[in-house]
Amino acid sequence: MAFQGKPKRVVSQFPSPEELYLSGTLPRTTEAVDSLWLHQGDVIRAYAENHQNTADLALELPTGTGKTLPGLLIAEWVRRKAQGPVIYVTPTKQLARQVAATAQREGVPGALLIGPARNWDTLDESAVEGGEMIGITTYSAVFNSSPKLPEPRLLIFDDAHAGEQFVGNEYGVKVRRYESPAVYTAILEPLKPFLSGLQIQRLEGEPDPGAHHQVRLILPAVDSTALAKLDAALAHLPEPHKYEFAMIRSGLAACCVYLAYGGVQVRPMIPPTFENRVFSHAQQRIYLSATLGSGGELERAFGRREIVRMPLPTKTPPRSGRRMFVFPDLVKGGDPDGLTKRIIGLTNKALVLSQQTVAKTEAAAAALAGEGIRVFGREILEQQGLDVFATAPAGVLGLANRYDGLDLPGSACRIVVLGGNPDAVGLQERFLGERADANAALAERLRTRIVQGVGRCTRGPNDYAVVVVLGSDITKYFSRPDNLRALEPDLQAEVEFGWQNSKGTDPDEVISNVETFLAHGTEWREQGEPMVAEFRQEAVKVVSPAADALGRAAALEVEAWQLAFTGDWIGGSEKLQAAVPHVGPAATRGYRGLLLYIAGVWLYLGAQDETQRARARQLVRDAALAANRGTWLKEMQDLPGAEEVPLVPMDVVAVNAIVARLRRQLRPNQMNTELIGMSEALAQDTATVYERGLTTLGSFLGAEASKPKGQGRCDSAWVWGTALWMTIEAKSEEHDDGLLPLKDVRQANTQLDQLAADQGMDHPPADSPAIIVSDRLTVDPRHAPAANPNLYLTSTDVIGQIASDVVAVWGDLLSTAVGISSEPAQRQHVRSVMTENGCLPSQVIDRLTQNRIRPGD
């Protein structure tokens, strides 16, 4: 039998999207949801009343509170108004299939347009273009060099908070060295004019800890010849890189190159989405987001000057279930992997999310799974969908770099493991966080990834799941009071409850607590819930002033990159200069320095006279003054005609000391033996041996280095005359199995004053730091305020990286500098080699002071 009804017609009046749902007009299936949640109806109503014609609109619907259904209802409402094609966009094919299934269940006509365009169903394409169906596709189908989608009336981006990962990163060439060594080498070749011989040698040779860690920024437009060679090299790359290059080739001069031993990324900081007809020609773009921060991340990720935010109309955000956090690295016994495996064994069902590679993540999932438990990975997920895991009675699913769109409600999965800090999606993010001290610019997206990760298994108000936070990096993230205060109060309370019930707790007790939570019976309701409620009463969300500052600058930054991408260097520089005053708080100084530097380079590129070129050089000097940690600036190629920036006093002392040492009668074999001995000592745990290695390291950095005598003294003191001192308290025998004791903090607090007494001075030089070297995770948040403002925590890995750089520097100096007869020329050479490899005292101190113990500014 075939049913027939009235022919379709366009009508002038439409019910609201909410009324469309309630009227029974949609042919919903018996599996459709019973009704809209209150907050979903509020969002739909607010859109219809106030934002039908807002060009760029972000709707906030927190994780686990149902973004897809409101998005589909708005899409269907607009489609029925017959104003043009409507396209719903998701990050992945798997999520597109999920949305298509939801649309079918709810009676919304949808057509899947995923994979290569040549494989799309012709009838589906026609139906989407004719407004008969909603197109459901992926970010990659929109943001590519030649999108085949029709120009839409409305674009809806699901999981828009992941825009940087799925939009920004699409505009650029990304090469991992271990995957494509020949491609990496091809791109490295035209970049050699920006590198010293020693740097090239380290990048082309076997990896060493220092070279492997560092991300270097290069602006290729500074050297027109190198830029032309880079263009030629990129133009000859194989698939998929040739398609990546097509996205940015017209504006290659405005792109940044981020170079590390492990890979290279070529991209503009903000993507030129204005060139994309599907995106830019849409009458309206709606961004469905789990969180609407005020730092301008949506604008930067999508390249839009202004995105109007429509937060939840309700004052109280909907609850998205209950999470019990467990921090295995804080638990007594020092076996976090073993405890995590025991927790997973309670249900034999878990989701493991990690920042590692796909292979390493799936290997980690296999290691955590019990004997005979099936391990699922990305390939299975892409081929068979999430249901194959969700419906399995047991299994461990390991996914890399996936924090969005995994709906595992109810009993589908009760345990999620977060491994590694989600803070490095691409080399640009690594550079901003590790080199440019611009963590404030990343904070919003990092927080969103964390929130997304912890919410994968709590998809409704009655859901509950265990969240295992595994690894030192991500545990450190949760230990920082400013990170915690930026979370919603409910999540703050859950984290605090988990922290207090993990720290120093016996593993068996942790397992017992998890069992009580998973049972979710009377014992949990009467004992666990009241404790979480106590933490909730004290929790207050605090918006960082840095976020507001970055938000005010976002529109100007977007305009600046659009202008630079089209070759308007002067206009782009002026916009960046206008953005700088908005980026004012101390927390954004690193980002301010970066904007000033790029503004200076762009102004120089477009300069018509010497006045403009002089102004460009001044902007570069201002950048060095603005940045907290400007070590990356010392590595950048000088603008032609720029005066050499004088070394700061501590660096002068160090260079002079090293030159004096080189001008004495040296025995290279003896020096090499000392360097080898230093490296071997710093690779050991034994305190006395490690301390000797530290003192040797300080002497090779041009310091007067020694081990002060007496009880409670530091393990190594590095003195650069009266310019700057540094004390180091080494806890090499402490491993990452807990928190740094308060006694270590108090001991390190006094060591600079003791050193001042030794030197016959009233106090140490200004800004002298005290360093604790330990692989302990972090300091307990309750004890962190006891630290002096100049006390920092670093790891043995960082010391190892610096030592590796020192070995490379001295290897070069012993073969090149000794033969330079002129002392000024020798001094210049030493300065250059140390600068290029991050070994000036100012650079080393920057590397050691990334993690201040005391919270706040």
Side-chain angles (χ1 to χ4, degrees), residues 790-836:
N790 63 338
L791 182 59
Y792 298 85
L793 177 64
T794 195
S795 69
T796 56
D797 280 347
V798 173
I799 295 292
Q801 291 159 10
I802 293 169
S804 175
D805 290 337
V806 166
V807 170
V809 163
W810 273 88
D812 182 83
L813 294 179
L814 290 173
S815 63
T816 60
V818 173
I820 300 174
S821 58
S822 165
E823 186 171 345
Q826 196 175 46
R827 185 178 296 108
Q828 182 60 41
H829 181 72
V830 169
R831 169 182 174 163
S832 176
V833 174
M834 292 184 73
T835 300
E836 290 163 353

Side-chain angles (χ1 to χ4, degrees), residues 389-661:
F389 170 72
T391 57
V396 178
L397 171 60
L399 293 176
N401 299 317
R402 284 289 302 276
Y403 295 91
D404 299 286
L406 299 168
D407 293 335
L408 294 167
S411 58
C413 186
R414 297 285 188 198
I415 298 172
V416 57
V417 179
L418 296 185
N421 202 7
D423 62 351
V425 178
L427 291 179
Q428 177 169 285
E429 286 194 6
R430 271 188 58 191
F431 173 79
L432 288 173
E434 297 174 8
R435 304 300 315 284
D437 193 31
N439 283 309
L442 303 176
E444 188 176 305
R445 68 181 73 158
L446 303 191
R447 181 167 59 254
T448 299
R449 290 173 197 156
I450 292 281
V451 172
Q452 285 291 294
V454 305
R456 293 303 91 208
C457 300
T458 45
R459 311 306 295 163
N462 297 318
D463 268 354
Y464 57 94
V466 177
V467 177
V468 182
V469 178
L470 182 62
S472 61
D473 286 340
I474 195 166
T475 302
K476 288 176 185 176
Y477 178 91
F478 282 106
S479 77
R480 304 296 298 183
D482 50 345
N483 291 338
L484 189 61
R485 288 193 298 265
L487 301 174
E488 292 296 335
D490 280 338
L491 187 50
Q492 284 188 45
E494 291 168 340
V495 171
E496 288 277 22
F497 177 84
W499 188 277
Q500 297 304 325
N501 285 279
S502 298
K503 185 183 61 178
T505 305
D506 186 83
D508 291 338
E509 185 177 343
V510 171
I511 293 295
S512 176
N513 290 340
V514 172
E515 288 175 329
T516 298
F517 176 79
L518 289 173
H520 230 67
T522 303
E523 189 176 359
W524 169 256
R525 289 194 301 272
E526 292 181 352
Q527 297 183 30
E529 282 293 345
M531 293 181 186
V532 177
E534 287 182 21
F535 286 113
R536 174 63 178 82
Q537 290 175 356
E538 299 176 1
V540 177
K541 183 177 180 178
V542 177
V543 178
S544 166
D548 288 336
L550 290 164
R552 290 190 296 271
L556 291 162
E557 290 179 53
V558 170
E559 288 185 75
W561 284 93
Q562 288 183 3
L563 291 166
F565 202 82
T566 58
D568 185 351
W569 299 116
I570 300 293
S573 177
E574 289 174 349
K575 291 294 182 182
L576 280 191
Q577 290 177 61
V580 166
H582 295 295
V583 189
T588 59
R589 285 184 60 190
Y591 195 67
R592 186 162 75 250
L594 181 61
L595 294 185
L596 280 166
Y597 179 79
I598 295 174
V601 170
W602 287 354
L603 179 57
Y604 188 87
L605 292 173
Q608 300 297 312
D609 53 45
E610 185 54 35
T611 300
Q612 289 181 323
R613 283 187 280 272
R615 170 61 180 159
R617 291 189 284 266
Q618 182 60 50
L619 286 171
V620 171
R621 289 193 291 272
D622 291 345
L625 295 173
N628 299 28
R629 302 187 177 100
T631 57
W632 65 273
L633 279 163
K634 294 183 174 71
E635 302 164 356
M636 304 302 290
Q637 193 172 77
D638 289 333
L639 295 179
E643 296 179 6
E644 187 173 72
V645 178
L647 291 176
V648 295
M650 74 184 97
D651 295 341
V652 173
V653 172
V655 169
N656 288 341
I658 290 171
V659 169
R661 193 171 181 179

Side-chain angles (χ1 to χ4, degrees), residues 203-215:
L203 287 170
E204 291 183 334
E206 292 299 315
D208 63 68
H212 193 271
H213 173 76
Q214 193 176 66
V215 180

Side-chain angles (χ1 to χ4, degrees), residues 111-189:
L112 266 177
L113 302 177
I114 59 176
R118 61 179 177 274
N119 296 337
W120 293 351
D121 185 281
T122 303
L123 292 177
D124 284 347
E125 279 191 85
S126 299
V128 171
E129 188 154 12
E132 297 172 9
M133 304 180 83
I134 294 167
I136 301 171
T137 189
T138 60
Y139 279 75
S140 60
V142 175
F143 299 105
N144 63 66
S145 58
S146 181
K148 305 303 181 186
L149 295 164
E151 292 182 12
R153 158 66 177 83
L154 171 65
L155 275 172
I156 296 182
F157 292 97
D158 207 347
D159 292 322
H161 42 259
E164 169 58 25
Q165 186 172 353
F166 293 101
V167 182
N169 269 343
E170 290 300 310
Y171 284 88
V173 178
K174 307 170 291 295
V175 177
R176 289 191 176 98
R177 182 185 192 134
Y178 75 94
E179 291 177 349
S180 308
V183 173
Y184 177 90
T185 301
I187 298 176
L188 178 62
E189 188 63 33

Side-chain angles (χ1 to χ4, degrees), residues 34-210:
D34 294 334
S35 62
L36 290 173
W37 289 340
L38 177 63
H39 68 275
Q40 291 176 320
D42 289 342
V43 166
I44 292 170
R45 196 178 310 113
Y47 167 78
E49 292 174 356
N50 304 312
H51 294 290
Q52 292 186 46
N53 297 310
T54 303
D56 290 273
L57 177 68
L59 305 181
E60 182 179 55
L61 285 154
T63 300
T65 62
K67 295 192 300 295
T68 303
L69 183 53
L72 285 171
L73 290 175
I74 290 172
E76 175 63 1
W77 186 56
V78 172
R79 184 194 71 81
R80 289 190 176 219
K81 292 171 74 175
Q83 295 178 346
V86 176
I87 297 175
Y88 192 108
V89 190
T90 69
T92 66
K93 295 177 186 176
Q94 175 248 324
L95 291 176
R97 294 188 187 100
Q98 277 185 219
V99 172
T102 301
Q104 182 178 25
R105 186 188 71 203
E106 300 296 337
V108 174
L112 266 177
L113 302 177
I114 59 176
R118 61 179 177 274
N119 296 337
W120 293 351
D121 185 281
T122 303
L123 292 177
D124 284 347
E125 279 191 85
S126 299
V128 171
E129 188 154 12
E132 297 172 9
M133 304 180 83
I134 294 167
I136 301 171
T137 189
T138 60
Y139 279 75
S140 60
V142 175
F143 299 105
N144 63 66
S145 58
S146 181
K148 305 303 181 186
L149 295 164
E151 292 182 12
R153 158 66 177 83
L154 171 65
L155 275 172
I156 296 182
F157 292 97
D158 207 347
D159 292 322
H161 42 259
E164 169 58 25
Q165 186 172 353
F166 293 101
V167 182
N169 269 343
E170 290 300 310
Y171 284 88
V173 178
K174 307 170 291 295
V175 177
R176 289 191 176 98
R177 182 185 192 134
Y178 75 94
E179 291 177 349
S180 308
V183 173
Y184 177 90
T185 301
I187 298 176
L188 178 62
E189 188 63 33
L191 299 177
K192 287 182 177 179
F194 299 94
L195 305 169
S196 70
L198 178 56
Q199 290 166 339
I200 295 168
Q201 177 183 320
R202 296 179 77 186
L203 287 170
E204 291 183 334
E206 292 299 315
D208 63 68

